[in-house]
């Protein structure tokens, strides 16, 4: 049996990559601006909580649309949320870690330059790659390993002499390594 073909065009993939890159950059710049302005600071925990509530409402709305009727919506909630407390407990661990991570992002952007923060934040990619290899026994291609090491080298350069290097170099390393990672996932899928 042949594998199903990917119906998503390359143009759409590039569009998604560009939109996600712009969103991440805009988020970092806006957050840095709001955390360093002379105005009264807001509580970062409140911002994280509101964000999570909005995501919950959007998720419930999408589930309601997909189920089609109120009865199936209630049955789906009962079965998948209330009917499996063990799974709900398992999901609470990464949820708490994610909440801590988001609060730490506010703290980091209050104290770091936005470019340094953005590049350093990308260390989550090598950590994820390492966990994928060690915990899930997956293998990475040579191109993926080169991409991971290139990303680590870029982060090292940022931290090594941040005052002497330009922000353009940081962003070039970030974009190049992200594109390499993206291309390597396209060739293996």
């Amino acid at each position: 049996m042949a594998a199903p073909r990917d119906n998503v065009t390359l143009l759409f993939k590039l569009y998604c990559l560009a939109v996600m890159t712009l969103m991440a950059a805009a988020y970092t710049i806006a957050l840095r601006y709001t955390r360093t302005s002379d105005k009264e600071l807001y509580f970062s925990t409140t911002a994280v909580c509101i964000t999570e509530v909005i995501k919950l409402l959007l998720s419930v709305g999408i589930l309601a649309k997909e189920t089609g009727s109120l009865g199936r919506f209630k049955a789906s909630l009962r079965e998948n949320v209330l009917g499996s407390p063990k799974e709900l407990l398992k999901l609470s661990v990464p949820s708490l870690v994610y909440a801590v991570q988001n609060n730490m992002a506010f703290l980091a952007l209050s104290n770091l330059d936005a470019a340094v923060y953005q590049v350093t934040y990308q260390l989550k990619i090598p950590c994820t790659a390492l966990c994928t290899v060690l915990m899930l026994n997956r293998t990475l291609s040579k191109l993926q390993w080169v991409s991971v090491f290139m990303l680590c080298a870029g982060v090292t350069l940022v931290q090594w002499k941040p005052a002497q290097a330009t922000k353009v170099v940081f962003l070039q390393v970030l974009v190049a390594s992200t594109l390499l990672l993206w291309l390597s996932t396209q060739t293996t899928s």
Side-chain angles (χ1 to χ4, degrees), residues 17-92:
L17 178 65
V19 168
M20 291 178 69
T21 302
L22 288 173
M23 282 177 40
Y27 169 78
T28 302
I29 291 168
L31 192 57
R32 170 72 179 159
Y33 174 74
T34 61
R35 298 307 288 178
T36 57
S37 66
D38 292 335
K39 299 176 183 173
E40 189 173 332
L41 286 180
Y42 53 89
F43 290 115
S44 61
T45 52
T46 304
V48 170
C49 184
I50 289 173
T51 303
E52 296 305 318
V53 167
I54 290 171
K55 287 195 279 188
L56 175 67
L57 294 174
L58 287 172
S59 299
V60 168
I62 291 170
L63 179 63
K65 185 178 182 334
E66 284 184 0
T67 54
S69 72
L70 185 61
R72 284 188 286 196
F73 173 70
K74 287 180 181 178
S76 178
L77 280 179
R78 194 176 308 114
E79 177 186 339
N80 297 318
V81 177
L82 301 174
S84 52
K86 188 184 266 188
E87 294 300 317
L88 197 59
L89 187 62
K90 287 179 188 177
L91 284 176
S92 69

Side-chain angles (χ1 to χ4, degrees), residues 28 113-124 151-159 167 169-175:
T28 302
D113 184 46
V116 173
Y117 166 81
Q118 187 66 23
V119 175
T120 306
Y121 185 71
Q122 297 310 313
L123 281 177
K124 66 182 178 183
L151 184 60
C152 290
V155 172
T156 303
L157 286 174
V158 169
Q159 298 301 327
K167 294 174 184 173
V169 173
F170 304 152
L171 295 175
Q172 288 172 344
V173 169
L174 175 64
V175 169

